[in-house]
Amino acid sequence: QKEVEQDPGPLSVPEGAIVSLNCTYSNSAFQYFMWYRQYSRKGPELLMYTYSSGNKEDGRFTAQVDKSSKYISLFIRDSQPSDSATYLCAMSVSGGADGLTFGKGTHLIIQP
Amino acid sequence: DVKVTQSSRYLVKRTGEKVFLECVQDMDHENMFWYRQDPGLGLRLIYFSYDVKMKEKGDIPEGYSVSREKKERFSLILESASTNQTSMYLCASSLAGSGNTIYFGEGSWLTVV
């Protein structure tokens, strides 16, 4: 069983729709959860960061963590064509230097 | 803003050549990382470093080495490039104890022919 599962998509939605992106994981020791956005031929950029369970909101983006279900989500409200990108979830056990465990990314397309 | 700079964006090298990929960060981060990203395989950690002159193997270190002589600089070395090392290479850095909120560079696209 892979540590982090993420549907690769593509997920195609019309402009203005609410988008839901999800990851499931198997390691209950994960405590730090992140979402990265990656445009084509660019490096990933940090979008959202959450510690432990709960919700975090930043503008049109909301990140949710449900540790009991080992499930994290990213919601995008009022989606724009500029949101078209690959979204990667990532998580780690500690604040140490051992790097993150990444999902393989979901390719999102917002149709104008 | 954190800036992680990878000096070479696109490289074409021949099989057997020694290849250096350079990375510099300007935020005094302790931790630095090298990943490669391939379609269908996602991001895989090659090496990381938590201090100057320290290095740790990641998930796929074979065929690679690294050097960290200064805090801000982390180099990835392909001792003898092979075609299966054609990939996008991503350097990243993070502050110690930050929960690994990693900041990435723009990536280096390496083609080995």
Side-chain angles (χ1 to χ4, degrees), chain A:
Chain A
Q1 184 184 9
K2 294 188 177 69
E3 274 209 292
V4 180
E5 300 269 10
Q6 187 176 10
D7 188 331
L11 174 63
S12 184
V13 301
E15 183 176 355
I18 295 174
V19 175
S20 172
L21 303 166
N22 311 294
C23 287
T24 58
Y25 62 94
S26 57
N27 186 351
S28 58
F30 285 137
Q31 296 190 82
Y32 301 86
F33 303 91
M34 282 137 255
W35 285 95
Y36 285 82
R37 178 176 62 196
Q38 185 175 23
Y39 292 114
S40 181
R41 303 188 82 82
K42 298 281 192 180
E45 57 177 317
L46 181 64
L47 206 56
M48 299 286 283
Y49 165 78
T50 312
Y51 171 70
S52 194
S53 282
N55 293 0
K56 186 172 184 178
E57 189 173 321
D58 184 2
R60 295 184 296 111
F61 299 90
T62 300
Q64 281 186 358
V65 175
D66 182 349
K67 289 188 71 179
S68 62
S69 302
K70 300 193 187 70
Y71 189 87
I72 69 170
S73 300
L74 178 71
F75 296 97
I76 307 174
R77 289 183 300 281
D78 188 25
S79 56
Q80 305 294 312
S82 58
D83 295 327
S84 298
T86 296
Y87 289 80
L88 300 144
C89 64
M91 44 201 81
S92 72
V93 171
S94 70
D98 56 342
L100 294 170
T101 301
F102 284 88
K104 292 183 180 178
T106 298
H107 182 44
L108 174 66
I109 301 167
I110 308 296
Q111 302 162 338

Side-chain angles (χ1 to χ4, degrees), chain B residues 71-82:
Chain B
K71 189 176 185 180
E72 68 271 18
R73 189 178 296 270
F74 193 36
S75 302
L76 180 70
I77 303 151
L78 286 66
E79 296 291 342
S80 177
S82 63

Side-chain angles (χ1 to χ4, degrees), chain B residues 19-86:
Chain B
V19 181
F20 293 87
L21 299 179
E22 305 287 344
C23 175
V24 176
Q25 51 94 3
D26 67 356
M27 285 302 291
D28 204 34
H29 284 174
E30 289 82 6
N31 304 327
M32 295 190 75
F33 308 83
W34 276 105
Y35 289 86
R36 64 178 282 179
Q37 187 175 34
D38 301 285
L41 296 176
L43 279 156
R44 293 180 291 169
L45 182 63
I46 304 171
Y47 268 97
F48 66 95
S49 168
Y50 55 87
D51 201 353
V52 175
K53 296 194 188 292
M54 306 302 290
K55 60 184 179 183
E56 296 286 342
K57 293 180 180 179
D59 301 317
I60 52 161
E62 296 77 20
Y64 303 95
S65 63
V66 290
S67 172
R68 193 162 180 204
E69 296 296 319
K70 294 185 178 181
K71 189 176 185 180
E72 68 271 18
R73 189 178 296 270
F74 193 36
S75 302
L76 180 70
I77 303 151
L78 286 66
E79 296 291 342
S80 177
S82 63
T83 55
N84 63 11
Q85 292 178 310
T86 292

